[in-house]
Amino acid sequence: QVQLVESGGGSVQSGGSLRLSCAASTDTYSTNCMAWFRKAPEKEREGVAIIYYGGQATYYAESVKGRFTISQDNAKNTMYLQMNSLKSEDTAMYYCAADPTPCGDWVIHESEYFSYWGQGTQVTVSS
């Protein structure tokens, strides 16, 4: 069983930045495919960014492309989401997800693909 723990959420003004972290309780074999999803009130859960192939490949939702950067530190078993130029529409609960099987860009639309989820961290952006 893989445990994922997110941190780094908070409140920030529009245009500000935050960095989310997702610490995994196991090595990179069990987290071959990792992603960030978010869920805003009264909205569907949305894939934000994915990282796979040991961190060599990334893919972003159009809504965050150019503003968010996903990365991972395999030595620390930790994934990050650097969020810059935040907008009010980025307000949501952010979740990290992981799965041991290889994946591709398509999983950003397939939250059901992921076996392991964190508890979430709230991001609130005020205008």
Side-chain angles (χ1 to χ4, degrees), residues 24-120:
S25 62
T26 186
D27 58 29
T28 54
Y29 174 78
S30 295
T31 55
N32 206 9
C33 179
M34 298 192 76
W36 288 98
F37 286 80
R38 65 186 180 187
K39 175 71 170 68
E42 300 181 1
K43 290 188 178 180
E44 296 286 324
R45 182 164 51 187
E46 174 189 20
V48 175
I50 60 170
I51 188 166
Y52 55 104
Y53 288 156
Q56 307 232 356
T58 60
Y59 186 78
Y60 298 91
E62 283 298 323
S63 58
V64 306
K65 197 173 291 184
R67 300 188 298 121
F68 290 11
T69 302
I70 189 171
S71 63
Q72 66 184 67
D73 185 332
N74 292 332
K76 296 182 178 180
N77 296 333
T78 301
M79 175 178 66
Y80 304 98
L81 186 68
Q82 178 67 44
M83 305 185 295
N84 298 328
S85 303
L86 282 161
K87 306 175 182 179
S88 57
E89 51 263 44
D90 295 318
T91 295
M93 185 72 80
Y94 283 71
Y95 299 89
C96 69
D99 197 88
T101 55
C103 65
D105 296 350
W106 56 274
V107 300
I108 201 168
H109 304 295
E110 301 290 340
S111 61
E112 300 80 11
Y113 175 91
F114 294 91
S115 300
Y116 307 112
W117 290 83
Q119 81 289 350

